Amino acid sequence: MKFSLNANALRAWDGDVLIIGVLEDKSKSTFKLLEERYGDSITKNLTKQKFTGKSGQIATFHLLQQHSEEATFVVGLGETNSLTIESFRKATSLAVKQSKGTEGKIGVLFPWGNIDKAKEIQAVAEAVRLCLFKDERFKSKTDTQNTPSELEMIGVESIPEISLKNVSSTCAGVELARELVGAPPNQLSPEALATEATQLSKEFNLQLKILEQEECKKEGMGAYLAVAQGSDLKPKFIHLTYKGKGKINRKLAIVGKGLTFDSGGYNLKVGAAQIELMKFDMGGSAAVLGTARAIAEIAPSGVEVHFIIAACENMINGSAVHPGDIVTASNGKTIEINNTDAEGRLTLADALFYASKLKPHSIVDLATLTGACVIALGDEVAGLWSENDELANDLLAAATESGEGLWRMPMQNSYKDGLKSMLADLKNTGPRAGGSITAALFLKEFVEASTPWAHIDIAGTVWADKDKGINPAGATGYGVRTLLKWILINNGKDSTND
Ligand code: BES
Ligand code: MG
Ligand code: ZN
């Protein structure tokens, strides 16, 4: 989709679909603009429909006289004092969804500049493209429904060029993540993830290292390899590196859980768990690769980012882990696997220790780690654990700006007792209560203590059962926008850890 700005007034606009945002307390001025284009009957019509500009309201007009556009959507943004960037996203996706079936150029006129013009425009442009996303890769016949190919922001003279460039890279990153998560587990194997990383490295000039099983063995990654040993598919440990131009003042590592399928192992998933959805258990790694794609394309200077994925499947065969096995992770700690379904943390143990050895300024991991986090926060909010306030606040700010739900949870160190093992250094699961906290505490054992680290549990947010806002039903691509904002917000910040 092509994005552009159009400094002209509404009355002079030419295109195929119009979306007009209305602030409830400033509706008169927008209605005036509409009248300039369509005559005063439009205001009468809006009044008759009881359209006032309340958030969630929408009025639709088709083929208004003397104009080229097929449809005009007038959409409510609520009151100015409660306006947020999210209001722009919400109103945009509401109108764009109704415009499905139209093609050509969409024009958007919102009351720009009430918050931050560049940010508003970025959010609207992203919302248009992301809410139109449709995954038809696995259909033998694709839907013939038209979609718009061009988007123009009306009444905008200029914003920094970088803002519009970032929109396409960001959306491409989110779409990549959605496609990876949505792909079925017979196609999206650990090897397919490695192939995707290889393609990214070639297309965007990223450094790539893939550790095969033997090399992982040499690294002593006994926890990760234990999970992989029950599958016929070989594990692939993926490490992509982005190096920005100029002096590197910030070195970051992003680690993603990459279980291309989680059957639970011998603690097989039964009952309520939707085992067929456990293809999404690589959602963390999808966010990592989506972010890698976007960062490589945006190419910020002065920052180095390591993208790390310990990819494998959690399956059952004759050599699969027995519940009760004791394994040794690469940092030397021994783990009694009292539940084979708590496999993500085992793979992350070795991936986080590997990331620590790179001595980054901070590490962030994303993982569909616990059902407990879904119970706590639902499917719109991910859980954030970090003992570093600065890192936690930066991530929360990035999430707020991107409109991705994120809530800080406690790293309750006293719960570590729940991970005590009679025989080994620790067990991989504790009691049911507080399950996502003990999972975070388990991970903590594998991160170099002096490195700021944050863990984000995306078990709920990786997937949407229903179409909501900018996310069509299915894979959401959660995390890409937050990670990107976090990397870019922090770009230029002086390192404190050299
Ligand atoms: N991949 C699951 C977590 C999950 C559950 C994600 C539901 C999304 C929806 C993870 O590997 C897992 O099975 N965790 C267990 C841990 C338990 C055995 C301590 C869980 O949450 O049930
Ligand atoms: Mg599991
Ligand atoms: Zn899992």
Side-chain angles (χ1 to χ4, degrees):
M1 181 175 272
K2 191 174 155 250
F3 302 115
S4 52
L5 307 177
N6 183 330
N8 290 340
L10 178 64
R11 82 182 107 78
W13 187 79
D14 191 25
D16 305 286
V17 177
L18 258 178
I19 298 174
I20 316 285
V22 176
L23 281 168
E24 208 175 350
D25 49 325
K26 293 183 185 156
S27 60
K28 280 214 179 86
S29 60
T30 313
F31 289 176
K32 226 175 116 204
L33 295 176
L34 284 167
E35 283 178 12
E36 282 175 18
R37 186 176 178 88
Y38 300 116
D40 54 7
S41 64
I42 190 141
T43 312
K44 284 188 193 130
N45 197 315
L46 284 165
T47 315
K48 201 161 179 200
Q49 292 189 47
K50 297 202 165 55
F51 181 92
T52 55
K54 268 201 179 58
S55 161
Q57 278 184 340
I58 183 159
T60 306
F61 301 90
H62 285 286
L63 293 168
L64 286 165
Q65 277 177 352
Q66 291 158 9
H67 289 281
S68 60
E69 64 271 16
E70 256 181 80
T72 302
F73 301 95
V74 185
V75 61
L77 287 164
E79 300 275 350
T80 310
N81 60 15
S82 53
L83 190 71
T84 61
I85 296 283
E86 194 57 20
S87 324
F88 283 85
R89 288 193 191 92
K90 219 173 124 188
T92 304
S93 42
L94 180 65
V96 169
K97 278 177 210 162
Q98 300 227 0
S99 78
K100 273 189 186 155
T102 58
E103 59 183 336
K105 184 159 80 183
I106 299 191
V108 179
L109 174 64
F110 277 171
W112 307 118
N114 280 282
I115 303 168
D116 174 317
K117 199 169 69 174
K119 282 180 185 167
E120 291 161 3
I121 286 165
Q122 260 192 63
V124 169
E126 282 175 16
V128 172
R129 174 155 159 191
L130 292 176
C131 80
L132 285 173
F133 173 83
K134 214 164 25 171
D135 188 357
E136 297 187 312
R137 291 170 297 163
F138 307 104
K139 302 257 193 210
S140 60
K141 280 202 197 96
T142 54
D143 195 346
T144 50
Q145 205 180 43
N146 299 323
T147 48
S149 53
E150 217 182 316
L151 173 64
E152 211 162 71
M153 304 297 178
I154 304 170
V156 185
E157 259 170 40
S158 68
I159 54 166
E161 201 200 314
I162 184 86
S163 305
L164 282 186
K165 195 179 139 228
N166 282 6
V167 169
S168 6
S169 308
T170 304
C171 292
V174 174
E175 285 164 358
L176 172 62
R178 284 179 179 176
E179 286 188 351
L180 291 172
V181 172
N186 60 339
Q187 298 201 20
L188 205 275
S189 57
E191 193 175 341
L193 267 184
T195 305
E196 187 62 46
T198 310
Q199 276 166 4
L200 286 180
S201 77
K202 286 187 186 146
E203 195 178 341
F204 297 100
N205 214 3
L206 298 166
Q207 286 171 23
L208 174 71
K209 193 153 124 190
I210 292 182
L211 275 67
E212 302 293 340
Q213 193 174 27
E214 275 312 306
E215 292 160 278
C216 296
K217 217 178 254 171
K218 276 190 209 134
E219 293 282 324
M221 297 181 171
Y224 165 45
L225 292 177
V227 177
Q229 78 194 27
S231 167
D232 292 345
L233 306 181
K234 293 277 166 263
K236 300 276 173 184
F237 191 100
I238 302 163
H239 175 188
L240 273 171
T241 309
Y242 166 80
K243 261 200 180 107
K245 287 209 179 84
K247 182 182 172 284
I248 301 297
N249 48 34
R250 209 148 173 91
K251 180 170 161 185
L252 310 169
I254 305 178
V255 181
K257 174 172 170 181
L259 265 290
T260 60
F261 191 72
D262 176 14
S263 71
Y266 278 101
N267 291 98
L268 187 64
K269 288 191 183 293
V270 287
Q274 273 183 290
I275 194 168
E276 74 280 9
L277 275 183
M278 283 301 150
K279 63 172 184 178
F280 69 36
D281 217 15
M282 36 57 70
S285 68
V288 165
L289 290 180
T291 306
R293 192 204 180 284
I295 278 294
E297 202 167 63
I298 293 169
S301 55
V303 64
E304 177 176 317
V305 192
H306 294 266
F307 303 95
I308 296 159
I309 300 161
C312 66
E313 282 192 316
N314 186 20
M315 299 290 280
I316 295 171
N317 64 20
S319 37
V321 166
H322 318 84
D325 280 359
I326 294 176
V327 298
T328 308
S330 42
N331 70 345
K333 292 197 179 170
T334 60
I335 306 160
E336 179 184 1
I337 303 179
N338 64 336
N339 192 320
T340 62
D341 199 9
E343 83 299 335
R345 61 195 78 180
L346 295 170
T347 65
L348 288 167
D350 285 325
L352 285 168
F353 184 64
Y354 179 94
S356 295
K357 284 197 292 189
L358 300 169
K359 303 250 172 271
H361 296 126
S362 17
I363 303 176
V364 176
D365 79 75
L366 275 91
T368 46
L369 205 62
T370 64
C373 191
V374 189
I375 301 299
L377 300 173
D379 67 358
E380 289 182 27
V381 184
L384 167 69
W385 281 261
S386 181
E387 288 181 314
N388 186 292
D389 289 343
E390 189 186 352
L391 176 58
N393 290 334
D394 282 349
L395 285 164
L396 289 169
T400 304
E401 209 175 281
S402 71
E404 295 189 311
L406 186 65
W407 191 257
R408 191 166 178 188
M409 303 283 272
M411 192 76 88
Q412 189 67 28
N413 283 302
S414 54
Y415 290 2
K416 221 194 107 186
D417 276 356
L419 294 173
K420 270 195 183 140
S421 161
M422 219 175 352
L423 296 164
D425 295 341
L426 68 164
K427 296 191 292 192
N428 72 330
T429 70
R432 213 166 108 87
S436 50
I437 299 175
T438 40
L441 289 168
F442 180 90
L443 298 181
K444 188 182 156 187
E445 295 298 306
F446 302 91
V447 183
E448 168 64 43
S450 62
T451 310
W453 159 68
H455 157 61
I456 301 180
D457 194 332
I458 60 167
T461 55
V462 70
W463 191 262
D465 287 334
K466 286 193 225 105
D467 179 301
K468 213 187 278 176
I470 66 163
N471 289 320
T476 58
Y478 180 97
V480 173
R481 289 179 307 123
T482 295
L483 287 174
L484 267 176
K485 288 240 155 73
W486 173 66
I487 295 169
L488 297 172
I489 286 174
N490 275 324
N491 201 25
K493 210 183 221 186
D494 284 332
S495 97
T496 48
N497 202 18
D498 269 329

